[in-house]
Structures are given as C-alpha cells and as structure tokens.
C-alpha cells in the first residue's frame, strides 16, 4: 500500500484516489463549483490546507467519497503519488 501526504498530517491511500484536481482550473466550471458545494453540504470535505487550497483530491474510502483540500500544487501531489513518496 502506498500513501500520499496532503498536508496538516493528512495521509490518504493512493489506491483510493479517483483524481487530483487543480482548483484554479476546475473551479471555473459551474459543475465543479456545484459538486464542491454539495460535497461540503454532505460533510464530505476534509480541509488539509493550512493556507488557501490549491488542489482538491477526490478519494473513495469504502463506500464513501471524500474531497480533500490541499495547499500543495496538483503537479506536486501527482509526482508524489506516482513515485510512492509519502
């Protein structure tokens, strides 16, 4: 099993990662904004950012989906996930 550190001591299993998304790019879409708003209302958002988040990571955990906010760049998280770096 490989894990990915998202910030603020938050670590997720890479096997459950559905996608890593850049907030600057994806939040331009009304569909993404609606998805994030609904995830927040359902309590599915976990804030792993100490500052303004740059990325959100969509993770399946059992039969639940969580959205993790991270202040790390999407490219950085993707490199770490691909290399198996914690």
């Amino acid at each position: 099993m490989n894990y990915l550190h998202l910030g603020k001591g938050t670590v997720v299993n890479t096997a459950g990662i559905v996608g890593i998304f850049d907030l600057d790019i994806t939040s331009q879409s009304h569909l993404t904004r609606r998805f994030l708003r609904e995830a927040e209302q359902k309590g599915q958002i976990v804030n792993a950012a100490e500052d303004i988040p740059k990325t959100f990571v969509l993770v399946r955990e059992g039969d639940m989906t969580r959205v993790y906010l991270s202040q790390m760049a999407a490219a950085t998280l993707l490199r770490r996930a691909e290399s198996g770096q914690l």
Side-chain angles (χ1 to χ4, degrees):
M1 256 191 266
N2 289 326
Y3 294 92
L4 179 63
H5 179 255
L6 302 176
K8 282 179 56 174
T10 303
V11 179
V12 296
N13 186 337
T14 56
I17 295 176
V18 175
I20 299 173
F21 304 92
D22 183 303
L23 273 170
D24 284 340
I25 295 169
T26 58
S27 63
Q28 293 176 17
S29 166
H30 70 91
L31 296 174
T32 303
R33 288 193 307 270
R34 185 173 69 193
F35 168 77
L36 292 172
R37 187 173 46 252
E38 289 174 4
E40 185 175 24
Q41 291 170 348
K42 293 176 183 176
Q44 296 173 320
I45 295 209
V46 177
N47 188 356
E50 294 182 23
D51 202 2
I52 297 171
K54 295 179 183 175
T55 305
F56 73 92
V57 181
L58 189 60
V59 180
R60 288 287 294 163
E61 297 173 341
D63 26 332
M64 185 168 182
T65 301
R66 290 201 192 276
V67 178
Y68 290 87
L69 302 177
S70 175
Q71 69 186 27
M72 294 182 206
T76 301
L77 292 174
L78 183 59
R79 268 193 315 275
R80 285 183 178 185
E82 288 174 342
S83 72
Q85 261 186 312
L86 180 62

